[in-house]
Coordinates of all heavy atoms in Angstrom, one line a residue:
M1 N 225.9 190.6 104.1 CA 226.5 189.2 103.7 C 225.8 188.2 104.7 O 225.8 188.4 105.9 CB 228.0 189.3 103.9 CG 228.6 188.0 103.4 SD 230.4 188.3 103.2 CE 230.8 186.9 102.2
G2 N 225.3 187.2 104.1 CA 224.6 186.2 104.9 C 225.5 185.2 105.5 O 226.7 185.1 105.2
K3 N 224.9 184.4 106.4 CA 225.6 183.4 107.1 C 225.6 182.0 106.5 O 224.7 181.7 105.7 CB 225.1 183.2 108.6 CG 225.2 184.4 109.4 CD 224.6 184.2 110.8 CE 224.8 185.4 111.6 NZ 224.2 185.2 113.0
V4 N 226.5 181.1 106.8 CA 226.5 179.7 106.4 C 226.1 179.0 107.7 O 226.6 179.2 108.8 CB 227.9 179.3 105.9 CG1 227.9 177.8 105.7 CG2 228.3 180.1 104.7
F5 N 225.3 178.0 107.5 CA 224.8 177.1 108.6 C 225.0 175.7 108.2 O 224.6 175.3 107.1 CB 223.3 177.4 108.9 CG 222.9 176.9 110.2 CD1 222.8 177.7 111.3 CD2 222.5 175.6 110.4 CE1 222.4 177.3 112.5 CE2 222.1 175.1 111.6 CZ 222.0 176.0 112.7
V6 N 225.6 174.9 109.0 CA 225.9 173.5 108.7 C 225.1 172.6 109.7 O 224.9 172.9 110.8 CB 227.4 173.1 108.8 CG1 227.9 173.3 110.2 CG2 227.7 171.7 108.3
V7 N 224.5 171.5 109.1 CA 223.7 170.5 109.8 C 224.3 169.2 109.5 O 224.5 168.8 108.4 CB 222.2 170.6 109.4 CG1 221.5 169.5 110.2 CG2 221.6 171.9 109.6
G8 N 224.6 168.4 110.6 CA 225.2 167.1 110.3 C 225.7 166.4 111.6 O 225.2 166.7 112.7
D9 N 226.7 165.6 111.5 CA 227.2 164.9 112.6 C 228.0 165.8 113.5 O 228.4 166.9 113.1 CB 228.1 163.7 112.1 CG 229.3 164.2 111.3 OD1 230.3 164.5 111.9 OD2 229.1 164.3 110.0
K10 N 228.2 165.4 114.7 CA 228.9 166.2 115.7 C 230.3 166.6 115.3 O 230.7 167.7 115.5 CB 229.0 165.4 117.0 CG 229.3 166.2 118.2 CD 229.2 165.3 119.5 CE 229.3 166.2 120.7 NZ 229.0 165.4 121.9
Y11 N 231.0 165.7 114.7 CA 232.4 166.0 114.3 C 232.5 167.1 113.2 O 233.2 168.0 113.3 CB 233.0 164.7 113.7 CG 234.5 164.8 113.3 CD1 235.5 164.9 114.2 CD2 234.8 164.9 111.9 CE1 236.8 165.0 113.8 CE2 236.1 165.0 111.5 CZ 237.1 165.1 112.5 OH 238.4 165.2 112.1
T12 N 231.7 166.9 112.2 CA 231.7 167.9 111.1 C 231.2 169.3 111.5 O 231.8 170.3 111.2 CB 230.8 167.4 109.9 OG1 231.2 166.1 109.5 CG2 230.8 168.4 108.7
V13 N 230.1 169.3 112.3 CA 229.6 170.6 112.8 C 230.7 171.3 113.7 O 230.9 172.5 113.6 CB 228.3 170.4 113.6 CG1 227.9 171.7 114.3 CG2 227.2 169.9 112.6
S14 N 231.4 170.5 114.5 CA 232.4 171.0 115.4 C 233.5 171.6 114.6 O 234.1 172.7 114.9 CB 233.0 169.9 116.3 OG 232.0 169.5 117.2
L15 N 233.9 171.0 113.5 CA 235.0 171.5 112.7 C 234.6 172.9 112.0 O 235.3 173.8 112.0 CB 235.4 170.5 111.6 CG 236.1 169.3 112.0 CD1 236.3 168.3 110.9 CD2 237.5 169.7 112.6
F16 N 233.3 172.9 111.5 CA 232.9 174.2 110.9 C 232.7 175.3 112.0 O 233.0 176.4 111.7 CB 231.5 173.9 110.2 CG 231.7 173.5 108.8 CD1 231.8 172.1 108.5 CD2 231.7 174.4 107.8 CE1 231.9 171.7 107.2 CE2 231.9 174.0 106.5 CZ 232.0 172.6 106.2
R17 N 232.3 174.9 113.2 CA 232.2 175.9 114.3 C 233.6 176.5 114.6 O 233.7 177.7 115.0 CB 231.6 175.3 115.5 CG 230.1 175.1 115.4 CD 229.6 174.6 116.7 NE 228.1 174.4 116.7 CZ 227.4 173.8 117.6 NH1 228.0 173.2 118.6 NH2 226.1 173.7 117.4
M18 N 234.6 175.7 114.5 CA 236.0 176.2 114.7 C 236.4 177.4 113.8 O 237.2 178.2 114.2 CB 237.0 175.1 114.6 CG 236.9 174.1 115.8 SD 238.0 172.7 115.6 CE 239.6 173.4 115.4
V19 N 235.8 177.4 112.6 CA 236.1 178.5 111.7 C 235.0 179.6 111.7 O 234.9 180.4 110.8 CB 236.4 178.0 110.3 CG1 237.6 177.1 110.2 CG2 235.2 177.2 109.7
G20 N 234.1 179.5 112.7 CA 233.1 180.6 112.8 C 231.8 180.4 112.2 O 230.9 181.3 112.1
T21 N 231.5 179.2 111.7 CA 230.2 178.9 111.1 C 229.2 178.4 112.1 O 229.6 177.6 113.0 CB 230.4 177.8 110.0 OG1 231.4 178.2 109.1 CG2 229.1 177.5 109.3
E22 N 228.0 178.8 112.0 CA 226.9 178.3 112.9 C 226.6 176.9 112.5 O 226.7 176.5 111.3 CB 225.7 179.1 112.8 CG 225.6 180.4 113.6 CD 224.3 181.0 113.6 OE1 223.3 180.4 114.2 OE2 224.1 182.1 113.0
G23 N 226.0 176.1 113.4 CA 225.6 174.7 113.1 C 225.0 174.0 114.2 O 225.0 174.4 115.3
D24 N 224.3 173.0 113.8 CA 223.6 172.1 114.7 C 223.9 170.6 114.3 O 223.9 170.3 113.1 CB 222.1 172.2 114.7 CG 221.5 173.4 115.5 OD1 222.2 173.8 116.4 OD2 220.4 173.8 115.2
F25 N 224.3 169.8 115.3 CA 224.5 168.4 115.0 C 223.2 167.7 115.4 O 222.5 168.0 116.4 CB 225.7 167.8 115.7 CG 225.7 168.0 117.2 CD1 225.2 167.0 118.0 CD2 226.4 169.0 117.8 CE1 225.2 167.1 119.3 CE2 226.4 169.1 119.2 CZ 225.8 168.1 120.0
I26 N 222.9 166.7 114.6 CA 221.7 165.8 114.9 C 222.1 164.4 114.8 O 223.0 164.0 114.1 CB 220.6 166.1 113.8 CG1 221.1 165.9 112.4 CG2 220.1 167.5 114.0 CD1 220.0 166.1 111.4
D27 N 221.4 163.6 115.6 CA 221.6 162.1 115.6 C 220.7 161.4 114.7 O 221.0 160.4 114.2 CB 221.5 161.6 117.1 CG 222.6 162.2 118.0 OD1 223.7 162.3 117.5 OD2 222.3 162.4 119.2
D28 N 219.5 162.0 114.6 CA 218.4 161.3 113.8 C 218.2 162.1 112.5 O 217.6 163.2 112.6 CB 217.2 161.2 114.7 CG 216.1 160.5 114.0 OD1 216.3 159.9 112.9 OD2 214.9 160.4 114.6
P29 N 218.5 161.5 111.4 CA 218.3 162.3 110.1 C 216.8 162.6 109.9 O 216.5 163.5 109.1 CB 218.8 161.3 109.0 CG 219.1 160.1 109.7 CD 219.1 160.2 111.1
Y30 N 215.9 161.9 110.5 CA 214.4 162.2 110.3 C 214.0 163.5 110.9 O 212.9 163.9 110.6 CB 213.6 161.0 110.8 CG 213.8 159.7 109.9 CD1 214.8 158.8 110.3 CD2 213.2 159.6 108.7 CE1 215.0 157.7 109.5 CE2 213.4 158.5 107.9 CZ 214.3 157.6 108.3 OH 214.6 156.5 107.5
N31 N 214.9 164.1 111.7 CA 214.6 165.5 112.2 C 215.0 166.6 111.2 O 214.6 167.7 111.4 CB 215.3 165.7 113.5 CG 214.8 164.8 114.6 OD1 213.7 164.4 114.7 ND2 215.7 164.5 115.6
L32 N 215.7 166.2 110.2 CA 216.3 167.1 109.2 C 215.2 168.0 108.5 O 215.4 169.2 108.4 CB 217.1 166.4 108.2 CG 218.1 167.2 107.4 CD1 219.0 168.1 108.2 CD2 218.9 166.3 106.5
P33 N 214.1 167.5 108.0 CA 213.1 168.3 107.3 C 212.6 169.5 108.2 O 212.4 170.6 107.8 CB 212.0 167.4 107.0 CG 212.6 166.0 106.8 CD 213.7 166.0 107.9
D34 N 212.3 169.2 109.5 CA 211.9 170.2 110.4 C 212.9 171.3 110.6 O 212.6 172.5 110.7 CB 211.5 169.6 111.8 CG 210.2 168.7 111.7 OD1 209.4 169.0 110.8 OD2 210.1 167.8 112.5
I35 N 214.2 170.8 110.8 CA 215.3 171.8 111.0 C 215.5 172.7 109.8 O 215.6 173.9 109.9 CB 216.6 171.0 111.3 CG1 216.5 170.3 112.7 CG2 217.8 171.9 111.2 CD1 217.6 169.4 113.0
I36 N 215.4 172.1 108.6 CA 215.5 172.9 107.3 C 214.4 173.9 107.2 O 214.6 175.0 106.8 CB 215.6 172.0 106.1 CG1 216.9 171.2 106.1 CG2 215.5 172.8 104.8 CD1 217.0 170.1 105.0
S37 N 213.2 173.5 107.5 CA 212.0 174.4 107.4 C 212.2 175.6 108.4 O 212.0 176.7 108.0 CB 210.8 173.7 107.8 OG 210.5 172.7 106.9
K38 N 212.8 175.4 109.6 CA 213.0 176.5 110.5 C 214.1 177.4 110.0 O 214.1 178.6 110.1 CB 213.4 175.9 111.9 CG 212.2 175.3 112.6 CD 212.6 174.7 113.9 CE 211.5 173.9 114.5 NZ 211.9 173.2 115.8
L39 N 215.2 176.8 109.4 CA 216.3 177.5 109.0 C 216.0 178.4 107.7 O 216.5 179.5 107.6 CB 217.5 176.6 108.6 CG 218.2 176.0 109.8 CD1 219.2 175.0 109.3 CD2 218.8 177.0 110.7
K40 N 215.1 177.9 106.9 CA 214.7 178.6 105.7 C 213.9 179.9 106.0 O 213.9 180.8 105.2 CB 213.8 177.7 104.8 CG 214.6 176.7 104.1 CD 213.7 175.8 103.2 CE 213.5 176.4 101.9 NZ 212.8 175.5 101.0
K41 N 213.4 180.0 107.2 CA 212.6 181.2 107.7 C 213.6 182.3 108.2 O 213.1 183.4 108.3 CB 211.6 180.8 108.8 CG 210.5 179.9 108.3 CD 209.6 179.5 109.4 CE 208.6 178.5 108.9 NZ 207.8 178.0 110.0
R42 N 214.8 181.9 108.5 CA 215.8 182.9 109.0 C 216.3 183.7 107.8 O 216.8 183.2 106.8 CB 216.9 182.2 109.7 CG 216.5 181.7 111.1 CD 217.6 181.1 111.8 NE 218.8 181.9 111.9 CZ 220.0 181.5 112.5 NH1 220.0 180.3 113.1 NH2 221.0 182.3 112.5
E43 N 216.2 185.0 107.9 CA 216.7 185.9 106.9 C 218.2 186.1 106.8 O 218.7 186.5 105.8 CB 216.0 187.3 107.1 CG 214.6 187.4 107.0 CD 214.1 187.2 105.5 OE1 214.8 187.7 104.6 OE2 213.1 186.5 105.3
D44 N 218.9 185.7 107.9 CA 220.3 186.0 108.0 C 221.1 184.8 107.4 O 222.4 184.9 107.2 CB 220.8 186.2 109.4 CG 220.5 185.1 110.3 OD1 219.5 184.3 110.1 OD2 221.2 184.9 111.3
I45 N 220.5 183.7 106.9 CA 221.2 182.6 106.4 C 221.1 182.5 104.9 O 220.0 182.6 104.3 CB 220.7 181.3 107.0 CG1 220.9 181.2 108.5 CG2 221.3 180.1 106.4 CD1 220.3 180.0 109.2
D46 N 222.3 182.5 104.2 CA 222.3 182.4 102.8 C 222.7 181.0 102.3 O 222.4 180.7 101.1 CB 223.4 183.3 102.2 CG 222.9 184.8 102.2 OD1 221.7 185.0 102.2 OD2 223.7 185.7 102.1
L47 N 223.3 180.2 103.1 CA 223.7 178.8 102.6 C 223.6 177.8 103.8 O 224.0 178.1 104.9 CB 225.2 178.9 102.2 CG 225.9 177.6 101.8 CD1 225.2 177.0 100.6 CD2 227.3 177.8 101.5
I48 N 222.9 176.7 103.5 CA 222.8 175.6 104.5 C 223.6 174.4 103.9 O 223.3 174.0 102.8 CB 221.3 175.2 104.7 CG1 220.5 176.4 105.3 CG2 221.2 174.0 105.6 CD1 219.0 176.2 105.4
L49 N 224.5 173.9 104.7 CA 225.3 172.8 104.3 C 224.8 171.6 105.1 O 224.6 171.7 106.3 CB 226.8 173.0 104.6 CG 227.4 174.2 103.9 CD1 228.8 174.3 104.4 CD2 227.4 174.1 102.4
I50 N 224.5 170.5 104.4 CA 224.0 169.3 105.1 C 224.9 168.2 104.8 O 225.3 167.9 103.6 CB 222.6 168.9 104.6 CG1 221.6 170.0 104.8 CG2 222.1 167.6 105.2 CD1 220.3 169.8 104.1
T51 N 225.4 167.4 105.8 CA 226.3 166.3 105.5 C 225.6 165.2 104.8 O 224.4 164.9 105.1 CB 226.9 165.8 106.8 OG1 225.9 165.4 107.7 CG2 227.8 166.9 107.4
K52 N 226.3 164.5 104.0 CA 225.7 163.5 103.1 C 225.2 162.3 103.9 O 224.1 161.7 103.6 CB 226.8 162.9 102.2 CG 226.3 162.0 101.2 CD 227.5 161.6 100.2 CE 226.9 160.6 99.2 NZ 228.0 160.2 98.3
D53 N 225.8 162.0 105.1 CA 225.3 160.9 105.9 C 223.9 161.2 106.5 O 223.2 160.3 106.8 CB 226.3 160.4 106.9 CG 226.8 161.5 107.8 OD1 226.9 162.7 107.3 OD2 227.0 161.3 109.0
M54 N 223.6 162.5 106.7 CA 222.3 162.8 107.2 C 221.3 162.9 106.1 O 220.1 162.7 106.3 CB 222.4 164.2 108.0 CG 223.1 164.1 109.2 SD 222.3 163.1 110.4 CE 223.7 162.5 111.4
Y55 N 221.7 163.3 104.9 CA 220.9 163.4 103.7 C 220.4 162.1 103.1 O 219.2 161.9 102.8 CB 221.6 164.3 102.7 CG 221.0 164.3 101.3 CD1 219.9 165.0 101.0 CD2 221.6 163.5 100.3 CE1 219.4 165.0 99.7 CE2 221.1 163.5 99.0 CZ 220.0 164.3 98.7 OH 219.5 164.3 97.5
E56 N 221.3 161.2 103.0 CA 221.0 159.9 102.3 C 219.8 159.1 102.8 O 219.0 158.7 102.0 CB 222.3 159.0 102.2 CG 223.4 159.5 101.3 CD 223.0 159.5 99.8 OE1 222.2 158.7 99.4 OE2 223.5 160.3 99.1
P57 N 219.7 158.9 104.1 CA 218.6 158.1 104.5 C 217.2 158.7 104.2 O 216.2 157.9 104.1 CB 218.8 158.0 106.1 CG 220.2 158.3 106.3 CD 220.6 159.3 105.2
I58 N 217.1 160.0 104.1 CA 215.8 160.6 103.9 C 215.8 161.5 102.6 O 215.1 162.5 102.5 CB 215.3 161.4 105.1 CG1 216.3 162.5 105.5 CG2 215.0 160.5 106.2 CD1 215.8 163.4 106.5
R59 N 216.6 161.1 101.7 CA 216.7 161.8 100.4 C 215.4 162.2 99.8 O 215.2 163.4 99.3 CB 217.5 161.0 99.4 CG 217.5 161.5 98.0 CD 218.3 160.5 97.2 NE 219.4 161.3 96.6 CZ 220.5 160.8 96.3 NH1 220.8 159.6 96.4 NH2 221.5 161.6 95.8
G60 N 214.4 161.4 99.8 CA 213.1 161.6 99.2 C 212.3 162.8 99.9 O 211.6 163.5 99.2
K61 N 212.6 163.0 101.2 CA 211.9 164.1 101.9 C 212.7 165.4 101.7 O 212.1 166.5 101.9 CB 211.8 163.7 103.4 CG 210.8 162.6 103.6 CD 210.7 162.3 105.1 CE 209.7 161.2 105.3 NZ 209.5 160.9 106.8
I62 N 214.0 165.3 101.5 CA 214.8 166.5 101.5 C 214.8 167.1 100.0 O 214.9 168.3 99.9 CB 216.2 166.2 101.9 CG1 216.2 165.7 103.4 CG2 217.1 167.4 101.8 CD1 215.6 166.7 104.4
D63 N 214.8 166.3 99.0 CA 214.9 166.7 97.6 C 213.9 167.8 97.3 O 214.2 168.8 96.6 CB 214.9 165.6 96.7 CG 216.3 164.9 96.6 OD1 217.3 165.4 97.1 OD2 216.3 163.7 96.1
P64 N 212.6 167.6 97.7 CA 211.6 168.7 97.4 C 211.9 170.0 98.1 O 211.7 171.1 97.5 CB 210.3 168.1 97.9 CG 210.5 166.6 97.9 CD 211.9 166.4 98.2
L65 N 212.5 170.0 99.3 CA 212.9 171.2 99.9 C 214.1 171.9 99.2 O 214.1 173.1 99.1 CB 213.3 170.9 101.4 CG 212.2 170.4 102.3 CD1 212.8 170.0 103.7 CD2 211.1 171.4 102.5
I66 N 215.0 171.1 98.7 CA 216.1 171.6 97.9 C 215.6 172.2 96.6 O 216.1 173.2 96.2 CB 217.2 170.6 97.8 CG1 217.8 170.2 99.1 CG2 218.3 171.0 96.8 CD1 218.8 169.1 99.1
A67 N 214.8 171.4 95.9 CA 214.3 171.9 94.6 C 213.5 173.1 94.6 O 213.5 173.9 93.7 CB 213.5 170.7 93.9
D68 N 212.8 173.3 95.7 CA 211.9 174.5 95.9 C 212.6 175.6 96.7 O 212.0 176.1 97.6 CB 210.6 174.1 96.6 CG 209.6 175.2 96.7 OD1 209.5 176.0 95.7 OD2 209.0 175.3 97.8
Q69 N 213.8 175.9 96.3 CA 214.5 176.9 97.1 C 214.9 178.2 96.3 O 215.1 178.1 95.1 CB 215.8 176.3 97.7 CG 216.8 175.9 96.6 CD 218.0 175.3 97.3 OE1 218.1 175.3 98.5 NE2 219.0 174.9 96.5
R70 N 214.9 179.2 96.9 CA 215.4 180.5 96.4 C 216.6 180.9 97.3 O 217.7 181.0 96.9 CB 214.3 181.6 96.4 CG 213.1 181.2 95.5 CD 213.4 181.7 94.1 NE 212.2 181.5 93.3 CZ 212.1 180.5 92.4 NH1 213.1 179.7 92.2 NH2 211.1 180.4 91.7
K71 N 216.2 181.2 98.5 CA 217.2 181.5 99.6 C 216.7 180.9 100.8 O 215.5 181.0 101.2 CB 217.3 183.0 99.7 CG 218.3 183.5 100.7 CD 218.3 185.0 101.0 CE 219.2 185.3 102.2 NZ 219.1 186.6 102.6
P72 N 217.5 180.3 101.5 CA 219.0 180.0 101.4 C 219.2 178.9 100.4 O 218.4 178.0 100.2 CB 219.4 179.6 102.8 CG 218.2 179.0 103.4 CD 217.1 179.7 102.8
L73 N 220.4 178.9 99.8 CA 220.9 177.8 99.0 C 221.2 176.6 99.9 O 221.8 176.8 100.9 CB 222.1 178.2 98.2 CG 222.7 177.1 97.3 CD1 221.7 176.8 96.2 CD2 224.0 177.6 96.7
I74 N 220.7 175.4 99.6 CA 221.0 174.2 100.4 C 221.8 173.3 99.5 O 221.5 173.0 98.4 CB 219.6 173.5 100.7 CG1 218.8 174.4 101.5 CG2 219.9 172.2 101.5 CD1 217.3 173.9 101.8
T75 N 222.9 172.8 100.1 CA 223.8 171.9 99.4 C 224.2 170.8 100.3 O 224.3 170.9 101.5 CB 224.9 172.6 98.7 OG1 225.6 171.7 97.8 CG2 225.9 173.1 99.7
I76 N 224.6 169.6 99.7 CA 225.0 168.5 100.4 C 226.6 168.4 100.3 O 227.1 168.6 99.3 CB 224.5 167.2 99.8 CG1 222.9 167.3 99.6 CG2 224.8 166.0 100.6 CD1 222.1 167.6 100.8
I77 N 227.2 168.2 101.5 CA 228.6 168.1 101.6 C 229.0 166.7 102.1 O 228.3 166.1 102.9 CB 229.3 169.2 102.4 CG1 228.7 169.1 103.9 CG2 229.0 170.5 101.8 CD1 229.5 170.0 104.8
P78 N 230.2 166.2 101.7 CA 230.6 164.9 102.3 C 231.1 165.1 103.7 O 231.5 166.2 104.1 CB 231.8 164.5 101.4 CG 232.3 165.8 100.8 CD 231.1 166.7 100.7
S79 N 231.0 164.1 104.5 CA 231.4 164.1 105.9 C 232.6 163.1 106.0 O 232.8 162.3 105.1 CB 230.3 163.8 106.9 OG 230.0 162.4 106.8
P80 N 233.3 163.1 107.1 CA 234.4 162.1 107.2 C 233.9 160.7 107.2 O 234.6 159.8 107.0 CB 235.0 162.5 108.6 CG 234.6 163.9 108.8 CD 233.3 164.1 108.2
F81 N 232.6 160.5 107.4 CA 232.0 159.2 107.5 C 231.3 158.7 106.3 O 230.8 157.6 106.2 CB 231.0 159.1 108.7 CG 231.5 159.7 110.0 CD1 231.1 160.9 110.4 CD2 232.5 159.0 110.6 CE1 231.7 161.4 111.6 CE2 233.1 159.5 111.8 CZ 232.6 160.8 112.3
S82 N 231.3 159.6 105.2 CA 230.6 159.2 104.0 C 231.6 159.0 102.9 O 232.7 159.5 102.9 CB 229.6 160.3 103.6 OG 230.3 161.5 103.3
E83 N 231.2 158.1 102.0 CA 232.0 157.9 100.8 C 232.0 159.1 99.9 O 230.9 159.6 99.6 CB 231.5 156.7 100.0 CG 232.3 156.2 98.9 CD 231.7 155.0 98.2 OE1 231.3 154.0 98.9 OE2 231.7 155.0 97.0
S84 N 233.1 159.6 99.5 CA 233.2 160.8 98.7 C 233.7 160.5 97.3 O 234.4 159.6 97.1 CB 234.0 161.8 99.4 OG 235.4 161.4 99.5
K85 N 233.3 161.4 96.4 CA 233.8 161.4 95.1 C 234.2 162.9 94.7 O 233.7 163.8 95.4 CB 232.8 160.8 94.1 CG 231.5 161.5 94.1 CD 230.5 160.8 93.2 CE 229.1 161.5 93.3 NZ 228.2 160.8 92.4
P86 N 235.0 163.1 93.7 CA 235.4 164.5 93.4 C 234.2 165.4 93.2 O 233.2 165.0 92.5 CB 236.2 164.3 92.1 CG 236.6 162.9 92.1 CD 235.5 162.1 92.8
L87 N 234.3 166.6 93.6 CA 233.2 167.6 93.4 C 233.4 168.3 92.1 O 234.6 168.7 91.8 CB 233.2 168.6 94.6 CG 232.8 168.1 95.9 CD1 233.0 169.2 97.0 CD2 231.4 167.6 96.0
D88 N 232.4 168.6 91.4 CA 232.4 169.4 90.2 C 232.0 170.8 90.6 O 230.9 171.2 90.6 CB 231.5 168.8 89.1 CG 231.6 169.5 87.8 OD1 232.2 170.6 87.7 OD2 231.0 169.0 86.8
V89 N 233.0 171.6 91.0 CA 232.8 172.9 91.5 C 232.1 173.8 90.4 O 231.2 174.6 90.7 CB 234.1 173.5 92.0 CG1 233.9 175.0 92.4 CG2 234.7 172.7 93.1
R90 N 232.5 173.6 89.2 CA 231.9 174.4 88.1 C 230.4 174.2 88.0 O 229.6 175.1 87.9 CB 232.6 174.1 86.8 CG 232.1 175.0 85.6 CD 232.9 174.7 84.4 NE 232.6 175.7 83.4 CZ 231.7 175.5 82.4 NH1 231.1 174.3 82.3 NH2 231.5 176.4 81.5
K91 N 230.0 172.9 88.1 CA 228.6 172.5 88.0 C 227.9 173.1 89.2 O 226.8 173.6 89.1 CB 228.5 171.0 88.0 CG 227.1 170.5 87.9 CD 227.0 169.0 87.8 CE 225.6 168.5 87.8 NZ 225.6 167.0 87.7
M92 N 228.5 173.1 90.4 CA 227.9 173.7 91.6 C 227.6 175.2 91.5 O 226.6 175.7 91.8 CB 228.7 173.4 92.8 CG 228.7 171.9 93.3 SD 229.8 171.6 94.6 CE 229.2 172.6 95.9
I93 N 228.6 175.9 90.9 CA 228.5 177.3 90.7 C 227.4 177.6 89.7 O 226.6 178.5 89.9 CB 229.9 177.9 90.3 CG1 230.9 177.8 91.4 CG2 229.7 179.4 89.8 CD1 232.3 178.2 91.1
M94 N 227.4 176.9 88.6 CA 226.4 177.1 87.6 C 225.0 176.9 88.1 O 224.0 177.6 87.9 CB 226.6 176.2 86.4 CG 227.9 176.5 85.6 SD 228.0 178.2 85.0 CE 226.9 178.1 83.6
K95 N 224.8 175.8 89.0 CA 223.6 175.6 89.6 C 223.2 176.7 90.5 O 222.0 177.1 90.6 CB 223.6 174.2 90.4 CG 222.3 173.8 91.0 CD 222.4 172.5 91.7 CE 221.1 172.2 92.4 NZ 221.1 170.9 93.1
A96 N 224.1 177.2 91.3 CA 223.8 178.3 92.2 C 223.4 179.6 91.5 O 222.6 180.3 92.0 CB 225.1 178.6 93.1
L97 N 223.9 179.7 90.3 CA 223.6 180.9 89.5 C 222.3 180.7 88.7 O 221.8 181.6 88.0 CB 224.7 181.2 88.5 CG 226.0 181.7 89.2 CD1 227.1 181.8 88.1 CD2 225.8 183.0 89.9
G98 N 221.7 179.5 88.8 CA 220.5 179.2 88.1 C 220.6 178.7 86.7 O 219.6 178.7 85.9
F99 N 221.8 178.2 86.3 CA 222.0 177.7 85.0 C 222.1 176.1 85.0 O 222.5 175.6 84.0 CB 223.3 178.2 84.4 CG 223.2 179.7 84.2 CD1 223.9 180.6 85.0 CD2 222.4 180.2 83.2 CE1 223.9 181.9 84.8 CE2 222.3 181.6 83.0 CZ 223.1 182.5 83.8
G100 N 221.8 175.5 86.1 CA 222.0 174.0 86.1 C 220.9 173.2 86.6 O 219.9 173.6 87.1

């Protein structure tokens, strides 16, 4: 069973670490593509969670990394600092299974 890794603001990463998830907090979203490239090389990670506030400023650079993925699955999650809307969990599951 693979690990979950979260990348985002200090608050969100700290909360995920409290439940046993690995993570790195970053201040500059422009470091995110390099971090994702390094994490994709790790065999033990199955899921990478990126906070929306880190994703939004460099969406154009991250989308190709997300589109060209097999393992690990990369998904965007809301943070306490981002505007959120209801998640369509069914759509997320279908996408993870390759149907979306």
Side-chain angles (χ1 to χ4, degrees):
M1 185 166 198
K3 295 180 181 179
V4 175
F5 197 97
V6 64
V7 180
D9 60 89
K10 192 173 193 174
Y11 181 76
T12 304
V13 172
S14 296
L15 289 174
F16 273 88
R17 283 182 179 170
M18 288 174 54
V19 295
T21 303
E22 276 189 71
D24 278 336
F25 59 87
I26 56 174
D27 295 323
D28 184 6
Y30 292 95
N31 294 331
L32 195 54
D34 293 332
I35 292 170
I36 291 173
S37 295
K38 289 177 187 175
L39 292 173
K40 286 177 83 171
K41 294 176 185 174
R42 287 185 46 183
E43 293 290 323
D44 61 331
I45 296 175
D46 282 341
L47 176 63
I48 299 172
L49 303 174
I50 302 170
T51 57
K52 187 176 180 180
D53 56 322
M54 293 295 151
Y55 165 76
E56 287 294 330
I58 57 168
R59 167 182 243 153
K61 292 183 180 183
I62 300 300
D63 284 344
L65 294 172
I66 292 173
D68 183 39
Q69 67 179 356
R70 298 273 185 253
K71 181 185 170 190
L73 179 65
I74 301 170
T75 191
I76 310 304
I77 60 170
S79 74
F81 311 109
S82 63
E83 185 178 314
S84 63
K85 57 184 175 182
L87 294 174
D88 185 350
V89 177
R90 184 172 190 265
K91 183 177 177 181
M92 289 174 61
I93 292 171
M94 295 301 283
K95 182 178 179 182
L97 294 174
F99 295 109

